[in-house]
């Protein structure tokens, strides 16, 4: 019994025998196919002998299979390899034969192995690295041949599953990993002498082991394309990139490979990589810690000897770009440090494979450095605080080192690389990065006492010389630090910062650097220094504020924004805006950072010395220094210190104005007009003087000295408002505080006599305050008075500057005497002196014409009067005269005269018990001043009335007391005050406008200044009624005055008065009547003059005018109409007054516990009035709302429904202003509110908004447009895909809005504005709504298609109808229309809608689209429908495919549109539709175009346009659905072949393009031969000539296209059709058929030689056609007859040809028969004579061609030749060139035939006749043009050759005759070529003579 080993060996031996017996390659291939895989399976045997035997057989097989023609069973071997993972020997031999046989397989079989190779590849590699490398190599070899499905197709999405990768993700991961390695692979330079060995080779990103894996152990032939098994690395990378972009991989697997490919240096690879990366990146998380770690690992590579080096700089740049988008990357602190150290350290040396950045400025190196800086910036911005603190110091050090290595503060001149644009950009990046990093580590980098880094940055900013771009970067870097330093700092750091900032504020461009190294200051750093001061130093820091002052007074040439920044630093409001707090408003206000500077510290720092000094500064102090050296700073410094002083004084009593935008204005107003505020300031200054510390008093004194210096600056010219500030502070100071300044009173002299009016005025006032002080001695006072009086007395003769001096002196004396009187020091001066001054002042009033002097006198008299210094009045002046003069000036509009009148009355007041005559006189004059038109004068008059009425009790005089002491008292006359009030109240009722306005202003002044007196208190209700009456006045000033008056009345009244006023106010603007307006009388002016003109310069103004007009017209209703207008005006006039002078405060107070708290209906009205079109009303209501509503948002939420309902009612109200306000109010109301809040109103809002959009008034339309835009914006935000709003809200909004937008109120509205806005809204929705819009898409697409036509301008249609008038064509206009449609946003919107379609939506869209195609009217809509079909067929073919057939059927009708553009559009659509339509429907379309019932081309062939449509359809199908067209080519191409022979060139062009673009070569017609012939045969008998002719021409084209290779079978198919085509009468173009017929006789000779009947028929037809009488056709038929005669060398056609030609020539020569010829047409533009010549020439040519010496006997051929020559001679009678050319050519060809054949057939005795006939037939050799002479010479030469062949002595006479002819012609010939030819002929003839022995 055989052992198992023996049995196995027996089987193996049998296989070996079969292999040995295979004696051919084919047999061996068959044996191996069956037995090789089983044989190798025996390698798993346990018996060594068996394994050895198999191995020995394999050696034999290896020898036998070397021929590449032997195919190996690769598939079976590969399968066996996969199934035996644990048997290395089997796998080794399997893989060996697979590797050997793979390239021998056909491409299809190789592709089938692709999935098998992929299956389990990861396991194969893990089992054996060598096997894995080999398999992966095989895979790479197959990859370029693997067909990839189109991207996005169903096959593409299923590719991963079909390859088995979805079940084996490890294989996919393995492939993506190693594919990425291939992308990174760079072939090493192993051929270099000292290069590394292949075994140890590596490249950037690839380790030694990986390199060996990819190169099969370092084999150089692996990637050698020239090797038979080698691969092209670039082509493989491209194949990998394309394969990875398919559906076989998911995004996570593609990502790294795409990254590697995008950085490849080959653009073909990088473009694909970029594309994959763009599509992949959104789906890969860059916050994945493992991924970021991997990216860093790839970036750095490995430090191990065999590990992967860093990747190339291009890829490192890409990696950094990704890391700069990841917040997670900022946590890799060590890696970040390494990136910077290796990337920008100047000493870095680039290793060849390390990928480090070289210090050289290479392009990739610069890009990488830029990426490193960008990454550093990203880390600085996004990194966590602990991480940044740990790395920032080191990174900043490296960056500084990088900059300084280039040269600092300017790049080194020797370092050219550092000055390149790329390096400069990196330098800027470095500065920015330093700033960003520095702020993250304050303690280590910024808050050191020396502030080294900040000083370095500031020096860089001031001295950097690289250019402006670097300057911007440095400034940005420094700006990054500002925020970090804005917190609390210790004193050392703060002091260092102050020192640094002050230093840079003082530096000037061009100065030497403070560093002392010789560098220069290149640019100012003031702006940055001021920014630091404003952000890093608290508001209370005096150094910071000093820096701001230096900025405001900056040097000329400094940046304008320096001063602006300085102003922001001084303004507490702007300072808080620059340094926002992080707490509640209260905490912000109390923040230490916002506290005002201490006034003492501030003043002493700016104007004084250190506190330790004992003496108060004098003129040699720092003030003088400041004044002389920095005068530009003095004025803003004084102004700022004043504001700080006043604020500090008011803050102690909590009366300081709140810091805000108008803080400074409020402060000035309080100081100038608020009695309480002035008292508080005065108390503050008094307390300072009482404090024990001298610091406060010293600072105030120092400040007063500084202001005084400003007053007398520049020799008395003054500085800004210093004089005003000095007087203001002196007036608020105590006598003790002012005392030290008295000693400087003499210094005021220059200012008093200054040419500056303001300076004179303030200096005079200051003199009055200082010189009247008790510290000023009597002698000094007398001296001053004496000097001033002396100057004043020169007033009569003063001119020019002297007038100014007199003016100043009068003012100074007026202030001085009045203050002396107040201080009771008039005895310091002599009475005579005082009387002299009074006399001067009164004389000026009475006599002077100089307005300046008069005003000074008015003011002096007023001052003297109120301080009781005017009496007694010196003689000769009288009080009555003074009053009269003052009244006269007052009536002239002099405000100072008005004030003087009032003050003069105080001097004349008695004891108060009775009336004073002078006061009454003054009062009468004052009341007469109501006629003055200037409103400001009336306020002066009102102030004067209060003085007259109440004396010093009037608060108008309180501000006059400017020195310490009690206010003077007078005994007012109560009766006078009562009378004045009653008089003013009565005047308020007067209808005279001027008096009415004056009364309103006077009443306001009386209430304002005298409301504390009982006489006014008793009349408050009357005053309230009067003011209410003024509110409805049209004069805005009166409204404002009345508003202020009501506010004052409200403040002074009790609760009943207040509630009554509030009730009236509310009803006024919540009702429709002007409740606050007064009564109407006959003289009440209701309209402005000119508002309602009636002609002749008249018009309706008063109520009386309305009554008169109504009476004249006879229409009483006019009264009510005009009164309605007037009432409406009154209503809105009263409402416009609401916010004036704090009227809103009335409502604010009442809203708490008064009337408004019980009547919330006010809010809807008030909310709407905030948006009134009248700016005044709008502002007023805004102020009231702000005052009334403390929490606006909460109030609106509470009353939202009532507000909205009121607005919706008002938006369609009667008054335009209400409609306009409602639109704006609704827009504001819905903004920012959740949909749920107003969802129930949404439809109404849209409907009413669109309704008002068509309002009759433009401003209302504008407001409505604003509302609609707001609604649109809200809608867009709600439906945006990226919005955080819930889908429910978005859907609800769309359900409300979309039906409305698509209704007759929206897209189909009649108003164009409404329609356009609806369209704009819809377009925005389509862009933003995303999938939420799907339910509306069917209807929306239909509406938009209709809009394409309805929105087209009407001018287009007009131009279309009148194109010829404007030198246009309809085609050009339609082309322009088509272009506009293609670029139309509506079309884009439609396509965006289609992109959103899903399967349910598509099923709804189809009926809507079908309806649009049927019902569309305009050309744009129809073209749009066509484009929609194209879009659906191309971009949505999967969803659209089930519906394509129905639309292809619809296109059959649409394509017949009368407009060519529309027709072409639908034809194009049909072409695209064929891509997704069924074959049956496409065939139906083919039948529609040309089938058995040909509807377009054949049946309607009379209509050229319909034939053109057929061509357009067929061409579109072939162009846009070429694969479907070629698949159905047998149905289309035969028809195309016929149709391309249409007689119309335009139609013909379509089919010719279709044929040429889809058929390869002319002979391709034979592929469709039978189909074409069948189609032609069916239409050759058509009654329609176009079809019949096209079919015939197609048959002819078949013959021409077939060429010389027409076999008998094809010829037999063609013959019946050709025979039928040639039949019938002649027609234009039939000659082409005949030409093809003759060509058929030549190329189809195989047929007629076998079929005599056909041969005879061909001859018969050819002769028949030659006998046709059509001249055009006949000439071509004769030519072709000759060609046919030459083709048929088997039959003698000469007799028939001769008969035809002779009869033709006879007819041509016989003029009597010319008229009998059937001339159908002369065609081609040729004349009848030309046609006859060509006909004769072609006949002669045919006759010569029919002479065949080969089958004609000698005598007969001679006879025929003579007959031909005779006929030729007849034809040459007319001597036409054409006939002579034909004769010469024919004779030459005939002689050539004789020469070739046996020329002896012509008997010798006949040659004489032949020769003479030849000469006669040709004509003289020397005649005619050169071409003809040349042909004759060639003919004679050929004749001579023939003679030479047959010459005997008998022909000597013939030779001589011919020689004579040649000699004669040669002697006359001028052409060298012809002469040479004749010479050759003569030599030939002479040679013949010599041979025959002739003499």
């Amino acid at each position: 019994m055989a052992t198992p080993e023996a049995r196995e060996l027996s089987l193996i031996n049998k296989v070996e025998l079969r292999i040995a017996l295979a004696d051919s390659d084919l047999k061996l291939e068959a044996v191996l196919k069956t037995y090789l895989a089983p044989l190798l399976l025996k390698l798993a045997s346990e018996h060594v002998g068996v394994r050895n035997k198999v191995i020995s057989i394999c050696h034999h097989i290896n020898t036998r299979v070397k021929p590449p023609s032997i195919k190996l069973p690769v598939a079976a071997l590969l399968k066996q390899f996969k199934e035996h993972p644990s048997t290395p020997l089997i796998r080794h031999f399997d893989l060996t034969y697979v590797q050997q046989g793979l390239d021998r397989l056909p491409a299809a079989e190789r592709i089938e192995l692709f999935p098998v190779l992929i299956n389990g590849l990861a396991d194969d590699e893990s089992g054996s690295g060598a096997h894995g490398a080999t398999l992966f190599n095989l895979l790479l070899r197959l990859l370029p041949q693997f067909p990839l499905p189109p991207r996005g197709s169903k096959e593409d999405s299923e590719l991963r599953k079909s390859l088995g990768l979805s079940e084996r993700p490890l294989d996919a991961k393995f492939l993506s990993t190693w594919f990425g390695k291939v992308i990174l692979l760079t072939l090493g330079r192993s051929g270099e002498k000292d290069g590394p060995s292949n075994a140890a080779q590596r490249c950037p990103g690839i380790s030694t082991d990986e390199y060996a894996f990819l190169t099969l152990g370092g084999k150089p032939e692996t990637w050698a394309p020239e090797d038979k098994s080698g691969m092209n690395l670039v082509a493989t990378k491209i194949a990998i990139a394309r394969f990875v972009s398919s559906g076989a991989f998911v995004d996570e697997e593609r990502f790294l490979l795409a990254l590697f490919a995008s950085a490849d240096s080959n653009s073909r690879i990088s473009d694909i990589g970029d594309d994959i990366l763009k599509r992949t990146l959104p789906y890969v998380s860059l916050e994945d810690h493992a991924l970021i770690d991997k990216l860093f690992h790839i970036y750095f590579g490995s430090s191990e000897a065999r590990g992967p080096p860093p990747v190339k700089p291009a890829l490192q740049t890409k990696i950094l770009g990704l890391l700069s988008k990841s917040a997670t990357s900022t946590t890799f602190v060590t890696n970040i440090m390494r990136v910077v150290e290796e990337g920008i350290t100047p000493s870095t040396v680039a290793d060849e494979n390390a990928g480090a950045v070289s210090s050289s400025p290479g392009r990739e190196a610069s890009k990488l450095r830029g990426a490193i800086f960008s990454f550093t910036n990203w880390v600085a911005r996004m990194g966590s605080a602990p991480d940044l603190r740990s790395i920032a110091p080191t990174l900043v050090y490296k960056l500084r080192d990088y900059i300084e290595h280039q040269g600092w503060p300017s790049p080194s001149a020797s370092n050219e690389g550092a000055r390149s644009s790329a390096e400069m950009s990196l330098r800027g990046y470095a500065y920015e990065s330093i700033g960003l990093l520095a702020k993250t580590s304050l303690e280590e980098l910024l808050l050191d006492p020396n502030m080294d880094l900040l000083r370095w940055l500031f020096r860089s900013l001031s001295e950097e010389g690289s250019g402006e771009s670097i300057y911007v970067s440095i400034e940005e870097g420094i700006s990054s630090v500002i925020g970090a330093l804005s917190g609390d700092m210790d004193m050392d750091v703060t002091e260092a910062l102050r020192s640094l900032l002050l230093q840079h504020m003082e530096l000037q461009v061009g100065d030497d650097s403070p560093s002392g190294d010789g560098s220069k200051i290149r640019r100012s750093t003031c702006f940055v220094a001021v920014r630091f001061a404003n952000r890093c130093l608290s508001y209370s820091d005096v150094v910071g504020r000093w820096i701001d002052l230096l900025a405001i007074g900056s040097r000329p040439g400094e940046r304008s924004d320096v001063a602006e920044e300085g102003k922001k630093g001084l303004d507490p409001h702007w300072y808080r805006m620059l340094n926002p707090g992080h707490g509640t408003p209260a905490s912000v206000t109390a923040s230490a950072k916002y506290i005002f500077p201490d006034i003492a510290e501030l003043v002493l720092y700016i104007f004084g010395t250190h506190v330790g000094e004992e003496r108060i500064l004098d003129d040699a102090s720092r003030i003088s220094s400041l004044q002389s050296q920095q005068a530009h700073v003095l004025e803003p410094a004084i102004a700022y210190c004043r504001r700080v002083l006043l604020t500090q004084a008011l803050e102690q009593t909590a009366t300081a104005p709140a810091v805000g935008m108008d803080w400074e204005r409020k402060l000035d107003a309080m100081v100038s007009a608020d009695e309480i505020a002035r008292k508080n300031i005065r108390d503050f200054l008094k307390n300072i003087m009482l404090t024990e510390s001298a610091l406060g008093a010293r600072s105030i004194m120092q400040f007063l000295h500084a202001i005084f210096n400003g007053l007398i600056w520049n020799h008395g010219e003054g500085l800004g408002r210093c004089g005003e500030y000095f007087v203001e502070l002196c007036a608020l100071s105590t006598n003790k505080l002012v005392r030290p300044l008295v000693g400087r009173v003499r210094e005021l002299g220059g200012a008093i006599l200054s040419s500056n009016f303001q300076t004179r005025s303030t200096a005079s006032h200051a003199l009055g305050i200082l010189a009247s002080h008790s510290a000023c001695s009597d002698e000094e006072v007398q001296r001053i008075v004496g000097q001033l009086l002396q100057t004043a007395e020169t007033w009569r003769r003063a001119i020019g500057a002297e007038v100014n001096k007199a003016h100043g002196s009068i003012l100074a004396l007026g202030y001085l005497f009045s203050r002396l009187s107040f201080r009771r020091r008039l005895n310091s001066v002599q009475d005579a002196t005082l009387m002299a001054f009074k006399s001067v002042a009164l004389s000026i009033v009475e006599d002077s014409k100089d307005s300046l002097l008069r005003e000074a006198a008015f003011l002096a008299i007023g001052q003297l009067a109120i301080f009781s210094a005017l009496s007694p009045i010196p003689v000769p002046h009288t009080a009555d005269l003074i009053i009269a003069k003052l009244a006269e000036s007052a009536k002239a509009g002099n405000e100072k005269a008005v004030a003087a009148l009032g003050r003069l009355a105080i001097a004349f007041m008695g004891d108060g018990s009775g009336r004073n005559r002078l006061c009454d006189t003054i009062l009468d004059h004052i009341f007469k001043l109501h006629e003055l038109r200037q409103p400001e004068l009336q306020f002066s008059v009102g102030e004067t009335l209060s003085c007259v009425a109440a004396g010093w009790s009037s608060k108008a005089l309180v501000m006059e007391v400017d020195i310490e002491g009690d206010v003077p008292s007078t005994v007012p006359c109560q009766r006078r005050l009562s009378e004045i009030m009653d008089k003013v109240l009565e005047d308020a009722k007067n209808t005279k406008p001027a008096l009415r306005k004056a009364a309103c202003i006077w009443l306001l002044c009386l209430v304002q200044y005298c409301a504390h007196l009982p006489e006014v208190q008793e009349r408050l209700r009357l005053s309230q009624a009067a003011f209410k009456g003024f509110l409805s006045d049209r004069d805005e000033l009166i409204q404002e005055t009345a508003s202020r008056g009501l506010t004052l009345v409200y403040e002074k009244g009790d609760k009943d008065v207040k509630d009554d006023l509030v009730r009236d106010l509310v009803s006024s603007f919540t009702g429709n009547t002007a409740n606050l307006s007064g009564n109407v009388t006959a003289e009440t002016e209701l309209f402005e003059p000119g508002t309602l003109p009636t002609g002749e310069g008249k018009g309706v103004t008063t109520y009386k005018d309305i009554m008169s007009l109504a009476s004249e017209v006879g229409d009483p209703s006019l009264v009510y109409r005009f009164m309605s207008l007037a009432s409406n005006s009154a209503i809105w006039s009263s409402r416009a007054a609401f916010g004036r002078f704090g009227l809103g405060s009335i409502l604010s107070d009442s809203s708490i516990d008064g009337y408004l708290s019980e009547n919330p209906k006010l809010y809807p009205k008030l909310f709407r009035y905030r948006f009134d079109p009248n700016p005044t009303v709008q502002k007023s209501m805004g102020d009231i709302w702000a005052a009334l509503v403390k929490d606006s948002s909460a109030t609106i939420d509470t009353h939202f429904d009532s507000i909205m309902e009121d607005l919706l009612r008002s938006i369609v109200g009667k008054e335009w202003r209400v409609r306009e306000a409602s639109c704006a109010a609704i827009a504001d109301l819905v903004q920012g509110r959740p949909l749920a809040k107003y969802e129930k109103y949404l439809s109404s809002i849209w409907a009413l908004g669109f309704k008002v959009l068509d309002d009759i008034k433009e401003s209302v339309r504008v407001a409505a447009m604003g509302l609609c835009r707001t609604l649109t914006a809200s809608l867009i935000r709600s439906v945006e895909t990226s919005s955080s709003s819930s889908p429910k809200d978005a859907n609800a909004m769309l359900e409300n809005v979309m039906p409305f937008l698509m209704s007759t109120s929206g897209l189909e509205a009649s108003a164009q504005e409404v329609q356009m806005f609806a369209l704009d809204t819809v377009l925005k929705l389509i862009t933003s709504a995303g999938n939420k819009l799907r339910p509306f898409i069917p209807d929306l697409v239909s509406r938009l298609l209709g809009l394409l036509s309805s929105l087209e301008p009407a001018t287009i249609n007009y131009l279309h109808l009148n194109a010829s008038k404007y030198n246009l064509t309809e085609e050009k206009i339609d082309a322009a229309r088509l272009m506009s449609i293609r670029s139309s946003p509506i079309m884009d919107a439609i396509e965006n809608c289609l992109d959103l379609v899903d399967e349910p939506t598509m099923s709804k869209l189809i009926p809507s689209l079908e309806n649009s195609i049927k019902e569309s009217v305009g050309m744009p809509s129809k073209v749009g429908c066509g484009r929609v079909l194209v879009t659906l067929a191309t971009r949505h073919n999967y969803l659209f495919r089930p519906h394509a057939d129905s639309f292809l059927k619809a296109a059959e009708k649409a394509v017949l549109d009368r407009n060519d553009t529309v027709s072409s559009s639908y034809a194009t659509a049909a072409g695209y539709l064929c891509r997704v339509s069924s074959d049956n429907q496409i065939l139906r379309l083919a039948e529609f175009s040309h089938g058995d019932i040909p509807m377009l081309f054949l049946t309607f062939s009379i209509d050229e346009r319909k034939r053109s449509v057929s061509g357009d359809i067929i061409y579109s199908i072939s162009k846009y659905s070429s694969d479907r067209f070629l698949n159905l080519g047998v149905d289309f191409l035969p028809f195309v072949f016929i149709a391309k022979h249409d007689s119309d060139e335009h139609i013909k062009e379509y089919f010719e393009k279709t044929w040429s673009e889809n058929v390869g070569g002319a002979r391709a017609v034979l592929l469709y031969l039978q189909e074409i012939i069948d189609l032609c045969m069916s239409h050759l008998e058509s009654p329609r000539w176009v079809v019949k002719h096209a079919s015939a021409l197609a048959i002819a084209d078949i013959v021409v296209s077939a060429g010389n290779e027409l076999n008998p079978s094809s010829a037999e198919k063609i013959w019946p059709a050709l025979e039928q085509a040639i039949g019938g009468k002649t027609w234009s173009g039939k000659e082409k058929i005949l030409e093809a017929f003759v060509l058929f006789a030549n190329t189809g000779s195989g047929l007629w030689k076998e079929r005599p009947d056909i041969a005879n028929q061909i001859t018969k037809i050819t002769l028949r056609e030659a006998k046709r009488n059509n001249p055009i056709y006949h000439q071509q038929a004769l030519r072709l007859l000759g060609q046919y005669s030459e083709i048929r060398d088997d039959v003698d056609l000469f007799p028939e040809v001769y008969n035809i030609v002779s009869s033709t020539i006879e007819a041509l020569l016989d003029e009597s028969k010319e008229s009998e010829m059937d001339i159908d047409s002369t065609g081609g533009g040729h004349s009848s004579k030309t046609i006859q010549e060509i006909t004769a020439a072609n006949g002669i040519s045919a006759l010569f061609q029919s002479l065949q010496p080969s089958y004609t006997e000698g005598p007969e051929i001679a006879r025929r030749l003579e007959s031909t020559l005779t006929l030729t001679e007849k034809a040459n009678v007319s001597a036409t060139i054409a006939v002579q050319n034909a004769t010469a050519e024919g004779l030459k060809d005939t002689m050539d035939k004789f020469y070739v054949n046996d020329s002896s057939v012509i008997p010798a005795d006949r040659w004489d006749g032949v020769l003479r006939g030849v000469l006669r037939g040709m004509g003289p050799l020397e005649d005619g043009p050169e071409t003809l002479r040349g042909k004759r010479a060639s003919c004679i030469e050929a004749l001579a050759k023939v003679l030479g062949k047959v010459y005997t002595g008998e022909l000597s006479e013939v030779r001589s005759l011919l020689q004579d002819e040649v000699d004669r012609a040669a002697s006359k010939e001028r052409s060298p070529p012809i002469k040479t030819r004749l010479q050759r002929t003569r030599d030939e003839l002479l040679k013949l003579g010599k041979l025959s022995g002739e003499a």
Side-chain angles (χ1 to χ4, degrees), residues 1445 1448-1449 1452 1474 1476-1488 1524 1528 1531-1532:
D1445 285 359
L1448 191 57
K1449 184 178 179 180
E1452 295 176 3
C1474 287
V1476 290
S1477 298
S1478 64
D1479 288 349
N1480 290 335
Q1481 187 58 41
I1482 297 174
L1483 291 175
R1484 186 184 182 284
L1485 181 66
E1487 293 172 0
F1488 168 75
R1524 305 298 300 277
L1528 301 173
D1531 296 286
F1532 282 104

Side-chain angles (χ1 to χ4, degrees), residues 1012-1141:
H1012 58 290
L1013 300 177
E1015 291 81 4
V1016 177
Q1017 281 286 321
E1018 293 170 359
R1019 293 167 176 78
L1020 275 182
R1021 285 186 175 273
L1022 295 175
S1023 300
Q1024 175 184 341
F1027 283 130
K1028 283 160 53 177
F1030 287 126
L1031 278 181
S1032 60
D1033 199 284
R1034 292 184 307 280
D1035 192 306
E1036 192 171 309
L1037 176 65
I1038 294 179
Q1039 288 183 15
E1040 292 181 359
T1041 305
S1043 300
R1044 175 61 180 159
L1046 284 172
T1047 304
L1048 290 174
V1049 170
Y1050 181 86
E1051 292 172 355
K1052 305 298 181 182
D1054 56 19
K1055 188 176 186 303
D1056 292 339
V1057 172
K1058 292 180 179 180
D1059 282 349
D1060 181 49
L1061 179 57
V1062 170
R1063 189 178 298 107
D1064 286 348
L1065 287 175
V1066 172
S1067 63
S1068 176
F1069 68 83
T1070 56
N1072 292 322
T1073 59
N1075 295 335
L1076 298 181
S1077 58
N1079 297 325
V1080 177
T1081 66
E1083 298 300 326
T1084 300
E1085 189 173 299
L1086 300 175
F1087 300 100
E1088 291 287 349
T1091 303
L1092 299 175
T1094 57
E1096 299 179 0
K1098 299 180 180 179
V1100 176
T1101 55
T1102 64
Y1103 180 67
K1104 179 179 179 181
D1105 294 334
I1106 294 174
M1107 297 296 291
S1108 300
L1109 182 62
S1111 176
E1112 291 177 9
V1113 176
D1115 184 3
S1117 66
L1118 282 180
V1119 176
Y1120 301 100
R1121 295 179 186 178
F1122 278 108
M1123 287 304 293
S1124 176
L1125 288 175
S1127 175
N1128 184 62
S1129 176
I1131 291 171
W1132 287 103
S1133 296
S1134 62
R1135 287 169 182 166
F1138 283 168
R1140 308 301 172 82
F1141 293 101

